[in-house]
Amino acid sequence: MSYFRKLYTYDLPHRAKLVYIYLYDRCDKNKKAWPSVKTIGKDLSISENTVRRAIKDLEKVNLIRKEYAFRNNGSCTSNRYYLL
């Protein structure tokens, strides 16, 4: 059975499916990925706003969970994405 079969059962826009497959391709053995929105957009040739909308789409159906990574001074450095 295809890993992505579950993904295809959701009524998601193509942007969300594309970003999910991208994150899957970049995740480690713990299903964690941490590319920046800018990097995702550049690699997929889509805008950063489109990436953000796709991430929200994926969070809404519980396919991913986003966590923020912080520096010691409290500023946000990047996001971590966990595939569920």
Side-chain angles (χ1 to χ4, degrees), residues 21-40:
I21 292 168
Y22 178 89
L23 291 173
Y24 178 82
D25 190 48
R26 303 294 187 281
C27 70
D28 63 14
K29 64 182 177 181
N30 297 317
K31 294 187 176 181
K32 179 176 67 174
W34 49 93
S36 69
V37 168
K38 184 176 183 176
T39 299
I40 296 169

Side-chain angles (χ1 to χ4, degrees), residues 28-76:
D28 63 14
K29 64 182 177 181
N30 297 317
K31 294 187 176 181
K32 179 176 67 174
W34 49 93
S36 69
V37 168
K38 184 176 183 176
T39 299
I40 296 169
K42 181 180 176 206
D43 288 350
L44 296 177
S45 300
I46 59 177
S47 74
E48 292 177 31
N49 285 335
T50 300
V51 173
R52 287 185 189 94
R53 286 193 304 272
I55 290 168
K56 285 181 183 179
D57 294 335
L58 293 168
E59 287 180 301
K60 191 181 298 182
V61 296
N62 294 317
L63 284 172
I64 67 168
R65 178 172 45 94
K66 178 174 69 172
E67 288 185 357
Y68 300 98
F70 295 97
R71 292 188 178 109
N72 290 339
N73 66 3
S75 65
C76 184

